[in-house]
Amino acid sequence: MSEKYAVIGKSVPKIDGRVKVTGQAKYTGDLKFPNMLVGKILTSPHAHARILSIDTSQAEKLPGVKAVITHRDVPALKYGISPARWDENIFCIDRVRFVGDKVAAVAAIDEETVYKALKLIKVEYEVLPAVFDPVAAMQEGAPQIHDEYPRNINTEIHQNFGDVEKAFAAAHHVRTDQFTGQRTYQSPIEPHSAISIWEDGKLTVYTSTQSPHYFQYYIAREFGLKMGDVRVVKPFVGGGFGGKLEPTGLEFAGAVLSRLTGRPVKMFYDRHEMFAHNRGRHRQIMKITTGVDKDGKILGVHADFIMDGGAYTSLGIATAYYAGAMLPLTYEFENYKFDMYRVYTNLPACGAQRGHGAPQPRYAFECHLDMLAEDLGMDPLELRLRNARRPDTVTPNEFKINSCELKACIEKVREISGWDKKKGKLPHGRGIGIAVGSFVSGAGYPIYRTNLPHSAAMIKVHEDGSAATLYTGAVDIGQGTDTVLCQMAAEAMGYTYEHMKIVAADTETTPHDFGAYSSRQTLMSGAAVKQAGEEVKRQILETAAAMLDIDVSTLDCREGVVFCQSNPEIQKTFAEVAREFFVRKGPLVGRGSYAPPKLGGKFKGAAVGTSPAYSFAAQVSEVAIDEETGEIDVKAVWDVHDCGTVINPALLHAQVHGALFMGMGEAVWEEVVFDEQGRIKNANLSEYRLPTALDMPEITSQLVESCEPDAPWGVKEVGEGATIPTMGCYSNAIYDAMGVRVYSLPLSYEKVWRALKEKREKEAGGG
Amino acid sequence: MTRPLTRCGQNEVKRGMAMYLPDFDYYAPASLPEACALLAQSGPRAKVLAGGTDVLPMMKKEKIAPEILVSIKKLHQLTGIRETPGNKVVIGARTTHNELVNSPVLQKKYLSVCVAAHRIGNNQIRNVGTIGGNIVNAVPSADLPPILIALGALIKLTGTGGERDLPLEEAFAGPGRSAISPDEILTAVIIPGSSLTGSTYFKFAHRRSGALAVVGVAAAVTMEGEVCREARIALGAAAPTPMRAKKAEELLRGRVVTEELLEEAGRCAAAESKTRTSIRGSADYRRDMVRVFTKRALRKAIKDGHS
């Protein structure tokens, strides 16, 4: 028992690994209830149109159809995940705003009948002019998408910290560059799906969600129900990445259909509908200006961004703030200006995707810094070291940084990638690039204003002590929370992981938790679990002390054994003590809850980006570019993370691999493309090109020593942080290989080919 | 007359986005004449179903709406890969892509066909998709037609009027349109005996699996020392149909092969191509990729034989 921890820090098998690989795990789409109906939503074929009439009579007459609903049958109350801009209706009332906007829904006895019924609903539209580009949408005279928002401006941000103009005036060198991102979609393997059962005044929803709590809150609000009369249950979930954080419409429509028919209603999106529902990454147009001194010290930064929000707000206000708020995390500078317009367009609504607003600005900033380094004749890695944030500092936008080992990350990635041997020294066609990143370990404030704790947990030890069940509202969507939290519970209790059970993410049986977003659960849910575990342990030790007639302070408990610290011969098993507790006092229960301290400044938007702790990462990638085709072959990626104490190394590295996979897809291939009518051209997994296993490079994922003072056992996030540097990292490696810069995402083969062609033509022309 | 196995009501109007298979009648005739008779009688209302990797998704997307699907799964004479007298290789039309990949006959004689088949879709697709389907659907980016055309392949067609052989390169009429009559069934692909010394297929796609070709280029050559006696170049995704780059071929015939000559052949093939802009690439990019991969395919076919 020499090791510091008995259960955490170990790659224990995933608690749900066996049921998942054997197919026993039940996802929402697998569930069946007696008399269950199937429902589907009819959506708009037009990007912008007035609804003149809806005739459902033919559909209603089709045998097997049990209910057809439109806006007339549902509450007119607008909803959204961002309380500042509730702008969605369950069904469009007078206007549709993108191809895929929700118009009506059907419940029928089977899928075949539902699809037939959808075709029998006659909707008469008057097509209106549409706008698909945020810059065009901001012009006077552009089609007005929501009457309340002139020039289609959904969110406008102007933040100014220090004096950027003064900093630029004093700078040795000032440079401006502009980059453009692209629309990407999360593409979880499991499609969205919800089963609604409204009976006896109570609504139960089984759904593929990242947050049962927000679903419960918004569903209750929409229907005027008490939260206690809405139960949201999360079965197994096959990935979310931000796209399953807010109600999808399936829950609202399904609830009404269930109330009307008195039967359970299953609703789902197919792959195309998932793309249309979207809530993926915003496309950002990013102008960025930086002033540096002659040694490359950053004096001031101005980020001037526009983002395409699509037809609704979704989580986009937060995205807009995040886009600017995350930039100063990695480098120390005092003067920072951030301007942003989030603009409505007649395209599917964008929301939060892994890394939230941060990855595209980070791509812009990291490319821009490499260009600055070149201007100064500096090694870009040196430039980053010179500016890298140190621990116990405060960002210009008033984020308090406690632990921060970014410099150590950069030094380590330099070493393991062989940077010094490779940078500028690789043969033509090969290149190496660096980028860094940082992310929150849980949002400092919830999405709607409330003083509820962010996480809560309860542990009940079984009566004979042979097992313990953790009840948590935390949401495992594949990332491994259930496993990690059970490890934490066992550690705190002095118990064994193998005897842990878990009941999670059910608003009726488990304590409140805000859910899986902003990389929050290891720290926040973990803090609540630790507290609950410690309460169990305290009761175990007290009972053991009474049983052994020994002073409680001499006892400890570890891996299911209570022992006397001065004489380990004196011991009892956790199980026998737990059983004795039950005999004497009843159920052995521990409880915990967590709320972060008050964080951040007082300026408008100060809350977005606050967090009790921040992760840091440095990535280096090596690429080979085919000069004739522009093909990018990523040979290797080295990722070094500062993510605090590690609970489960295997899961941690899997998160790095997964995040890199997404970052790589967004860097090179992924882009949602529309035709001139605003219809998605590639709403499928063939032409929306996620990388395959064959496309993945060799990945080296390593860590630096780090411990976060304000977190349980010193943990921080990893799940989103590793997506953030990748796009800039590849762009910089491509530049190192070929001397060309691609200014927009994705860095497709064709764009690299074109940049090379233009470079050759320019060189030939210049003689 | 075979009874339909499944009867699912009537067809619906187009809606554009549905991902649910519309209604159709399903037949699985037990003999080739019966299948041809059924097709002849149904005309354009019917479609042959083999692996279904093209037909079913197109039906789900409502791009086609056949009322009748005629499965050929009971026509066992459409299977198998065999060498026949005259050094021919006969490939049954129902042969799956993975059967091509794993065929000892092809691996020995025309590894290039195995390599091309291995680049189709992904493993799940290759397990069910067939060589016949890859041809008759006339998708411009299909991977098998270029290499088969380069090898001079013929297709065997059986209809109510009898049997005929057609050079594969004459089998295409336009994107998604073949030159095969509605009552005809493709039964086999024949690679004739030839003196070709090498062949290869390059697929250029945006990722290494599960992606359609940006361009596909096949080359087959007969070399005598340094001299190219015969060259056949076939392009995929470079025109409305798979096409030969005949001027580039002509350029090579009888010439001593040099890097400059290959580059010239590439440029020539690019000029012959009729690329267009799509989600997979713009016309000028694709045209230049024809140049690059024509050169590379020729180089490999010359150097590495059937590879």
Side-chain angles (χ1 to χ4, degrees):
Chain A
M1 294 196 183
S2 58
E3 282 180 63
K4 194 169 168 195
Y5 301 122
V7 190
I8 63 169
K10 296 184 168 55
S11 297
V12 301
K14 268 187 108 168
I15 202 159
D16 51 7
R18 181 183 289 265
V19 293
K20 280 187 173 169
V21 299
T22 55
Q24 292 169 67
K26 297 288 180 282
Y27 296 77
T28 305
D30 296 320
L31 301 180
K32 289 184 175 66
F33 292 85
N35 289 321
M36 188 170 79
L37 299 172
V38 179
K40 286 294 290 181
I41 294 176
L42 178 75
T43 59
S44 159
H46 303 295
H48 199 189
R50 210 180 308 284
I51 298 173
L52 301 178
S53 66
I54 306 175
D55 177 3
T56 58
S57 57
Q58 290 300 108
E60 281 158 20
K61 281 182 209 145
L62 186 72
V65 170
K66 297 297 173 189
V68 184
I69 55 173
T70 68
H71 67 88
R72 294 183 291 262
D73 307 291
V74 300
L77 184 66
K78 285 189 175 178
Y79 72 94
I81 186 85
S82 290
R85 303 272 190 289
W86 282 323
D87 57 6
E88 293 189 66
N89 280 109
I90 297 177
F91 297 118
C92 298
I93 295 172
D94 54 355
R95 198 136 52 110
V96 292
R97 293 180 172 85
F98 72 99
V99 178
D101 220 350
K102 298 161 183 73
V103 175
V106 176
I109 50 166
D110 56 28
E111 221 179 308
E112 195 183 329
T113 309
V114 164
Y115 278 102
K116 285 182 177 166
L118 286 179
K119 292 184 179 183
L120 296 175
I121 300 173
K122 300 282 175 277
V123 187
E124 216 184 330
Y125 294 102
E126 177 198 340
V127 177
L128 300 170
V131 61
F132 305 119
D133 176 73
V135 178
M138 283 166 77
Q139 304 306 313
E140 294 294 344
Q144 184 76 31
I145 299 171
H146 291 268
D147 295 337
E148 306 87 324
Y149 298 96
R151 291 174 60 221
N152 296 311
I153 295 169
N154 166 264
T155 305
E156 185 173 349
I157 304 167
H158 304 287
Q159 294 179 338
N160 209 337
F161 309 101
D163 189 338
V164 168
E165 293 311 319
K166 202 169 146 197
F168 289 167
H172 164 73
H173 179 54
V174 180
R175 181 183 172 110
T176 301
D177 293 295
Q178 185 170 313
F179 302 87
T180 309
Q182 85 278 44
R183 276 177 168 256
T184 60
Y185 177 57
Q186 291 97 347
S187 301
I189 292 282
E190 183 211 6
H192 304 64
S193 166
I195 299 170
S196 301
I197 308 168
W198 197 327
E199 54 189 14
D200 206 16
K202 184 181 156 191
L203 174 59
T204 302
V205 183
Y206 295 81
T207 182
S208 176
T209 176
Q210 293 177 229
S211 174
H213 174 80
Y214 289 126
F215 276 46
Q216 181 194 27
Y217 176 78
Y218 280 109
I219 291 168
R221 178 185 165 275
E222 193 66 17
F223 295 118
L225 293 169
K226 296 189 201 81
M227 277 181 74
D229 286 334
V230 177
R231 178 184 184 185
V232 178
V233 186
K234 179 218 65 130
F236 284 98
V237 169
F241 313 107
K244 293 177 179 171
L245 185 57
E246 57 192 270
T248 57
L250 298 175
E251 299 79 14
F252 295 135
V256 174
L257 289 168
S258 176
R259 189 177 55 186
L260 287 174
T261 60
R263 294 165 71 164
V265 177
K266 176 191 278 187
M267 306 211 41
F268 61 94
Y269 286 143
D270 62 31
R271 188 61 59 179
H272 191 128
E273 290 163 340
M274 291 167 73
F275 274 89
H277 174 71
N278 192 38
R279 322 289 149 153
R281 179 108 51 229
H282 291 68
R283 179 169 81 97
Q284 297 190 47
I285 300 162
M286 300 159 290
K287 192 164 121 185
I288 190 158
T289 305
T290 300
V292 289
D293 72 10
K294 62 181 179 359
D295 301 319
K297 178 89 194 89
I298 299 170
L299 302 176
V301 175
H302 179 201
D304 187 5
F305 298 168
I306 294 169
M307 59 170 44
D308 165 14
Y312 296 103
T313 299
S314 179
L315 206 61
I317 301 174
T319 321
Y321 278 101
Y322 263 112
M326 297 284 102
L327 275 186
L329 282 175
T330 52
Y331 305 114
E332 291 181 16
F333 53 86
E334 282 166 16
N335 305 296
Y336 180 50
K337 189 162 184 271
F338 171 49
D339 295 302
M340 163 69 88
Y341 292 92
R342 182 183 188 271
V343 186
Y344 283 120
T345 61
N346 291 112
L347 293 176
C350 300
Q353 182 171 337
R354 203 172 197 167
H356 211 162
Q360 289 185 8
R362 178 56 57 183
Y363 147 76
F365 198 28
E366 295 292 317
C367 292
H368 174 69
L369 284 180
D370 260 42
M371 293 153 95
L372 273 166
E374 190 177 31
D375 292 347
L376 295 172
M378 271 184 85
D379 179 344
L381 189 145
E382 283 296 338
L383 181 99
R384 287 173 174 82
L385 271 180
R386 195 153 302 173
N387 291 287
R389 181 161 299 286
R390 292 162 296 179
D392 302 314
T393 51
V394 179
T395 68
N397 47 345
E398 298 183 51
F399 299 158
K400 172 84 177 69
I401 312 295
N402 304 318
S403 64
C404 171
E405 296 300 330
L406 181 57
K407 272 178 198 263
C409 289
I410 297 173
E411 289 290 9
K412 188 159 183 179
V413 82
R414 169 189 226 157
E415 182 199 321
I416 63 173
S417 67
W419 177 271
D420 293 341
K421 289 197 304 286
K422 290 174 178 169
K423 175 63 188 169
K425 295 167 191 157
L426 292 169
H428 184 66
R430 279 253 186 175
I432 191 165
I434 184 169
V436 306
S438 172
F439 204 65
V440 299
S441 308
Y445 296 86
I447 292 174
Y448 68 93
R449 199 179 287 260
T450 174
N451 63 356
L452 289 177
H454 289 217
S455 291
M458 190 170 78
I459 297 167
K460 192 196 88 176
V461 181
H462 288 227
E463 287 68 18
D464 67 350
S466 64
T469 303
L470 169 63
Y471 295 83
T472 170
V475 184
D476 194 327
I477 54 174
Q479 81 281 46
T481 325
D482 284 357
T483 302
V484 164
L485 293 179
C486 281
Q487 282 183 270
M488 288 173 143
E491 182 73 43
M493 291 161 68
Y495 198 52
T496 45
Y497 170 74
E498 291 72 19
H499 298 100
M500 288 302 303
K501 316 284 174 196
I502 184 161
V503 174
D506 173 345
T507 58
E508 194 155 292
T509 58
T510 67
H512 161 82
D513 193 293
F514 284 122
Y517 68 99
S518 75
S519 293
R520 55 182 294 288
Q521 296 186 139
T522 305
L523 192 154
M524 295 186 172
S525 311
V529 167
K530 182 168 187 275
Q531 198 185 357
E534 285 166 352
E535 190 176 309
V536 170
K537 183 172 175 178
R538 184 175 51 72
Q539 296 173 86
I540 283 285
L541 295 185
E542 282 168 7
T543 307
M547 288 165 77
L548 291 162
D549 194 16
I550 192 171
D551 182 10
V552 70
S553 67
T554 66
L555 292 177
D556 197 3
C557 179
R558 200 176 154 107
E559 291 182 87
V561 180
V562 184
F563 58 95
C564 175
Q565 292 173 74
S566 55
N567 181 7
E569 299 286 292
I570 301 172
Q571 56 170 248
K572 285 207 170 288
T573 66
F574 183 105
E576 61 186 312
V577 179
R579 189 183 181 285
E580 186 60 26
F581 182 98
F582 183 66
V583 169
R584 293 184 188 191
K585 295 183 177 172
L588 172 50
V589 173
R591 297 168 310 154
S593 77
Y594 172 83
K598 188 160 171 40
L599 297 164
K602 293 203 166 17
F603 56 92
K604 186 164 189 260
V608 183
T610 57
S611 178
Y614 296 86
S615 72
F616 294 88
Q619 258 175 31
V620 166
S621 60
E622 186 174 337
V623 302
I625 307 297
D626 184 323
E627 187 159 17
E628 286 189 304
T629 66
E631 183 173 355
I632 300 157
D633 182 8
V634 182
K635 293 293 180 190
V637 179
W638 298 267
D639 180 285
V640 179
H641 246 79
D642 158 12
C643 50
T645 302
V646 177
I647 304 298
N648 187 313
L651 286 178
L652 177 126
H653 293 299
Q655 282 294 306
V656 171
H657 282 232
L660 244 165
F661 167 90
M662 281 187 92
M664 176 151 172
E666 291 187 51
V668 185
W669 294 290
E670 294 178 39
E671 180 171 23
V672 183
V673 183
F674 297 85
D675 70 11
E676 60 286 349
Q677 260 104 49
R679 293 175 300 211
I680 307 172
K681 287 166 85 171
N682 57 342
N684 56 64
L685 298 181
S686 170
E687 295 296 354
Y688 184 83
R689 289 181 285 266
L690 303 162
T692 69
L694 295 179
D695 299 299
M696 288 302 287
E698 189 183 324
I699 297 167
T700 307
S701 168
Q702 291 200 10
L703 305 172
V704 292
E705 278 290 317
S706 167
C707 187
E708 172 61 33
D710 261 1
W713 294 287
V715 300
K716 297 201 283 187
E717 82 88 40
V718 71
E720 298 185 74
T723 294
I724 292 174
T726 310
M727 300 165 221
C729 185
Y730 285 5
S731 179
N732 290 339
I734 292 167
Y735 184 81
D736 187 51
M738 308 307 296
V740 296
R741 178 68 65 183
V742 175
Y743 289 88
S744 67
L745 294 169
L747 312 164
S748 68
Y749 303 167
E750 183 172 340
K751 285 184 195 164
V752 173
W753 169 84
R754 208 170 286 285
L756 286 166
K757 185 166 165 259
E758 281 161 10
K759 181 171 176 249
R760 268 195 307 274
E761 284 164 3
K762 204 170 149 197
E763 282 165 2
Chain B
M1 190 72 233
T2 320
R3 299 290 305 163
L5 296 181
T6 315
R7 174 71 205 176
C8 325
Q10 63 190 21
N11 265 292
E12 308 286 343
V13 289
K14 278 192 164 212
R15 213 190 106 253
M17 215 170 102
M19 294 290 280
Y20 197 78
L21 210 50
D23 295 341
F24 56 87
D25 286 348
Y26 174 85
Y27 294 87
S31 75
L32 194 52
E34 202 182 331
C36 293
L38 186 55
L39 287 173
Q41 175 198 324
S42 317
R45 294 186 300 135
K47 191 101 184 146
V48 173
L49 178 70
T53 58
D54 275 324
V55 170
L56 298 180
M58 284 195 291
M59 287 173 70
K60 284 184 179 178
K61 292 179 199 159
E62 302 184 349
K63 287 184 176 168
I64 57 170
E67 293 165 40
I68 295 165
L69 287 184
V70 180
S71 170
I72 53 171
K73 72 173 182 188
K74 291 186 181 167
L75 308 184
H76 299 296
Q77 67 268 49
L78 271 55
T79 60
I81 301 169
R82 58 193 186 279
E83 285 186 84
T84 61
N87 214 14
K88 282 196 264 186
V89 177
V90 178
I91 304 167
R94 267 179 53 202
T95 304
T96 66
H97 306 316
N98 267 344
E99 285 166 354
L100 296 174
V101 172
N102 298 315
S103 157
V105 171
L106 289 173
Q107 285 175 4
K108 183 170 71 130
K109 291 185 70 89
Y110 300 112
L111 184 61
S112 49
V113 176
C114 308
V115 167
H118 192 237
R119 292 301 312 275
I120 296 173
N122 49 43
N123 207 39
Q124 292 93 322
I125 297 287
R126 291 193 293 272
N127 274 333
V128 288
T130 64
I131 185 171
N134 203 251
I135 291 167
V136 298
N137 283 304
V139 177
S141 62
D143 291 303
L144 291 176
I147 185 64
L148 293 171
I149 289 171
L151 292 170
L154 306 167
I155 54 173
K156 192 170 271 304
L157 300 165
T158 303
T160 41
E163 222 178 57
R164 62 168 175 146
D165 286 354
L166 183 71
L168 176 57
E169 58 185 289
E170 292 170 22
F172 305 102
R177 286 185 297 123
S178 76
I180 300 166
S181 308
D183 72 321
E184 284 183 314
I185 289 176
L186 192 160
T187 58
V189 177
I190 302 157
I191 304 174
S194 74
S195 58
L196 292 167
T197 54
S199 65
T200 197
Y201 174 69
F202 270 105
K203 175 178 188 170
F204 182 58
H206 284 294
R207 58 181 178 192
R208 292 179 185 151
S209 176
L212 297 175
V214 176
V215 297
V217 180
V221 294
T222 304
M223 294 298 292
E224 250 178 48
E226 299 295 296
V227 178
C228 176
R229 288 289 161 214
E230 169 65 357
R232 295 171 62 88
I233 300 163
L235 313 177
T241 64
M243 65 169 277
R244 292 265 299 276
K246 290 189 177 172
K247 287 180 190 154
E249 293 174 0
E250 195 50 46
L251 198 71
L252 291 158
R253 274 189 204 110
R255 300 270 297 272
V256 173
V257 172
T258 61
E259 263 305 300
E260 292 70 31
L261 183 66
L262 297 183
E263 180 64 43
E264 203 185 332
R267 279 201 302 271
C268 189
E272 286 179 81
S273 70
K274 300 177 192 71
T275 53
R276 66 175 195 109
T277 297
S278 84
I279 195 165
R280 288 187 288 282
S282 56
D284 63 336
Y285 180 55
R286 287 178 136 164
R287 196 177 313 116
D288 199 44
M289 293 307 100
V290 169
R291 175 186 68 81
V292 171
F293 288 99
T294 296
K295 184 174 66 176
R296 291 183 186 181
L298 285 166
R299 197 189 285 146
K300 191 160 195 310
I302 289 166
K303 193 167 141 278
D304 298 337
H306 296 285
S307 59

